[in-house]
Amino acid sequence: MTINPRVKRNFVVVLRDLVIALGVRRLVLYVATAAAATVATLTLTGAVPQRLQITVTPTAAASGMNLAINQPTVKVADLNAQTNWPFGYTVTVASENVTAARCTAPCFYSPSQTDTLTFVLYRGATPITFSGTSAQFIATAAKSAHSGDPYDVQVSYNGATVVLTQATDYVENLTFTISNN
């Protein structure tokens, strides 16, 4: 059988083109494989928002106090201070009655009788000294525990040494403020 030279030449060209195409394809696959890395890096970043909060939870003893007795320290609230600031925090406390010039130290005040009874405020067993309308309740040099730092708020007074007018509206509002150092 004889093959037409023209067909033979076309067959050779097709075969040659096929070999070239396969070679190019193999070369592309080789280059792609060679360019693929065996190690890759992923960088993760994050941020921590500031956490700064205070909660004051009154105890049952905080309301309906008998102001006609000598009251040694009694727990009136649980205070929790929380911050993630590495340099700590300061909690200050302000007296509404001192601010309103009803007394010169924190006091129970009756608006109906205009009588007052001063008291001592404590952080745990430590008395707090007021300078003007406010006092430093606590100052720290480090961040708080994850769940916050707990403190007992206590008061003492001696209502047995004064004669207060009978009334049920004796009150003092203490405002606690936390700030980062």
Side-chain angles (χ1 to χ4, degrees):
M1 169 169 160
T2 55
I3 299 177
N4 181 338
R6 203 165 176 221
V7 170
K8 187 177 177 183
R9 189 169 36 95
N10 283 343
F11 178 72
V12 170
V13 168
V14 168
L15 190 57
R16 183 196 69 200
D17 289 347
L18 181 61
V19 169
I20 291 173
L22 287 174
V24 168
R25 185 174 181 164
R26 196 174 288 153
L27 181 62
V28 168
L29 286 174
Y30 175 75
V31 169
T33 304
T38 58
V39 175
T41 301
L42 170 64
T43 301
L44 302 173
T45 63
V48 176
Q50 176 179 304
R51 182 175 36 174
L52 180 66
Q53 67 182 37
I54 188 170
T55 56
V56 178
T57 307
T59 65
S63 61
M65 300 178 91
N66 182 352
L67 302 182
I69 64 170
N70 180 12
Q71 176 64 59
T73 57
V74 60
K75 183 177 173 181
V76 292
D78 293 304
L79 184 144
N80 187 285
Q82 191 176 56
T83 186
N84 59 355
W85 184 248
F87 306 110
Y89 59 91
T90 299
V91 174
T92 58
V93 57
S95 161
E96 181 180 277
N97 289 335
V98 175
T99 302
R102 296 177 185 129
C103 45
T104 58
C107 69
F108 295 100
Y109 170 75
S110 168
S112 67
Q113 303 302 322
T114 64
D115 275 351
T116 64
L117 174 64
T118 60
F119 63 85
V120 178
L121 181 70
Y122 297 85
R123 180 190 72 250
T126 305
I128 304 300
T129 303
F130 275 71
S131 175
T133 61
S134 64
Q136 180 177 290
F137 186 78
I138 186 73
T140 69
K143 65 182 180 179
S144 69
H146 177 71
S147 59
D149 294 337
Y151 301 97
D152 290 343
V153 180
Q154 300 191 91
V155 297
S156 69
Y157 54 86
N158 191 351
T161 61
V162 295
V163 179
L164 294 172
T165 306
Q166 180 184 2
T168 59
D169 61 350
Y170 285 91
V171 68
E172 168 68 287
N173 289 307
L174 300 172
T175 303
F176 293 86
T177 305
I178 187 172
S179 59
N180 286 327
N181 291 341

